[in-house]
Structure formats: C-alpha cells, structure tokens
Amino acid sequence: MPLATMKAIRLTAIGRPLERQEVLPRKAGAGELLVRVRAAGICHSDAHYRSGLSPMGALPITLGHEIAGVVENVGPGVATHAVGDRVCLHYLVTCGDCAACRRGLETWCERGAMLGHHVDGGFAEAITVPARNAVPLPASIPFEHGAVLMCSSATALHALRKGRLEAGERVAIFGSGGLGVSAVQLARALGAREVFAVDIRAEKLALAGSLGAIAVDAARGDPVAQLMEMTGGAGIDVALDFVGSPAVMRQAVRCLAPRGRAVLVALSDQKLELDPYREILGREAELIGSNDHTLAEITEVIELVQRGALDLSPAVTATVPLDAVAINGVLDALEQGRAGVRTVVLP
Ligand SMILES: [Zn+2]
Ligand SMILES: [Zn+2]
C-alpha cells in the first residue's frame, strides 16, 4: 500500500546532525519504481557528506546510498520489475544517453546523480528510483548483505579489475575495513596466489586472517619490509590502498614487484611524493586510480555471493533502526575511527 507521509533521516545543514523529517514519497513516474527500503548501509562517505568534506548540492537531502528493499509500486512503462520483487539499488542514476554513457563510462555521465548525495537516498521508509537502477536480489541473500554489497564489495571488485589482477598473482590490501573485507575474498575468488592484509588494528587483522588473508601488522614495523620478506623478495603484483594517507599509498607502491600495479581507492587531499626512478619507472610499476564501480560489476558481485565466494556476514557488524540519534552516533564513530566494519539501518 502506498505510504501517506514517511519518516526520513535527512541532512538539513552542513556540519549539523542529521534530522528526522516527515516527507511525502515521490510517486513512481514513467520508468520508475517505488521501493520499500528494507536495509540501508551507513558508509564513511555519509560522514563526509554530513561534515561537508564532500561537496553537497541542495539541502535538505535524505542520505543513504547502500540500499536494498522490495518493489512497492511500478511506474508506467516498466516491464522489467513487478510489485514484491526483492532488489538492491545501484546508487548512480545515469541518463544512459550522453557521450560517456554511450561509451560505457557511466561513472562520468554528464547528468549522473548519486542516491543519498545528489538526490534523496535510503535512510527512509521508501525511495523512488529508475527501474534500471534496481538489480534483482536473490532470496538467498539477506537485505543487509544486499545493501552493503552495493557499495564496498562492488567498489573492491572494480579496484581489483583496475589492477588487472591475474590468477597466480600476489595481492596486498592496505586497510581491512568494509572494502578490505570484500577485497580479500574477491582477490581469492579471482585466483590470487596469496592475499596479504595490512592493518594496524589487531581485530581487523584477525578478521582478514579468518577470510584467508595473510596478516601483516603494520604496527610492528615497516609493512613493505615485511611484505618483501614474506614473498622471498619478490614483492606484490597488485596492491590496493583503502586507507587514504600518502604514507600508506607510498607503501602500496614500494611493495610492488617489477610490473606491479598500485591501485588508489581511498581519498586524500594531501600530496603524494614518489621516487620516480626507484619506485615507478625502474620497475615499470603502475599507479592507478579507481573510482566507484559499474552496474555490471554489481551483477558479478551478486553471482559471487550466490556461489559462496563472497561471504558478507563479517561485513555487517551492527544494525540500527531508522532513527536520527542512532545514525548520527554511527557517523560519529566512523569519523573517530572506532566504527565496526559496517552498520546497516533496518527501517
Ligand atoms: Zn558507501
Ligand atoms: Zn549519461
């Protein structure tokens, strides 16, 4: 049954706690769906939106871009979905028609808008989205896993693809948060010979270890030296940085084997210094940027979850209700670096 008004947790001013507001859900227009939100992940990006570190458009806006739910209403002309379908939502709404979209570079769509960043997101009872953003979620995958895989897992897969990981290669993953937990498992599913997880927190290293990674405790000394020793001096073929500090980015470059690829995923606004000969060209190393993921990669991630190659249970560490105080508390914890891997809102 369509909602009259609904509860939404919204950013009303930069630097202020999110607030509960009653809003009217937007009716599904042509080609759109109204989706009842069943799970919405709370991401580190949401803390950046609240603080203003990432620029925002018009306020107020409902945050939340990691969304899974059930189709409640189908707009005119939609033949691909039916009421009651379980879906998870690709957070980038694209036009499908500009030069970038036509080249398959949807991330750079001229009219692209991100759910929970540029348009209302999933910290609400329902959300209206284009039908092509709704990916079928198999019944075997819980909604909270469906929500989380839309951001961190798909982004981790994209980063491994950007690093051109081949079976038999060695991978190092710097940072074992939400992305790292997925990246460890995905690298193994893609046939990596060894996956090293580098972190400074014992509980994160233990978690990565339980997923099949070889733990490298950076609190105990230079992780580059440890990686070189653990690989018999060979080094790493693909290193992913999920930390976002120049010091760690440089470690991801310095640990590379000849022709190795370092992929930067986490943001930083600080300068990165490298030694061009010893760290890059002398070894034909590559420094690669990775941003977001594509709709097609989400389908791939769902298949990997169904096959049992990716277990998202360790990625969801807590749940909270659709409540402003609870969600603000999780954003505070993310800002202070004391949050678990992922907290999911269950409206
Ligand atoms: Zn996210
Ligand atoms: Zn476009």
Side-chain angles (χ1 to χ4, degrees), residues 41-46 65-66 91 114 151-152 342:
I42 305 176
C43 183
H44 209 130
S45 308
D46 296 316
H65 58 267
E66 306 181 357
Y91 59 57
M114 182 178 165
C151 183
S152 44
R342 202 47 124 235

Side-chain angles (χ1 to χ4, degrees), residues 32-45:
E32 289 187 322
L33 305 171
L34 177 71
V35 174
R36 168 77 66 157
V37 178
R38 297 292 302 275
I42 305 176
C43 183
H44 209 130
S45 308

Side-chain angles (χ1 to χ4, degrees), residues 33 62 67 92 119-120 130 156 244 258 304 325:
L33 305 171
T62 306
I67 308 160
L92 190 63
V119 293
D120 281 336
L304 287 163
V325 173

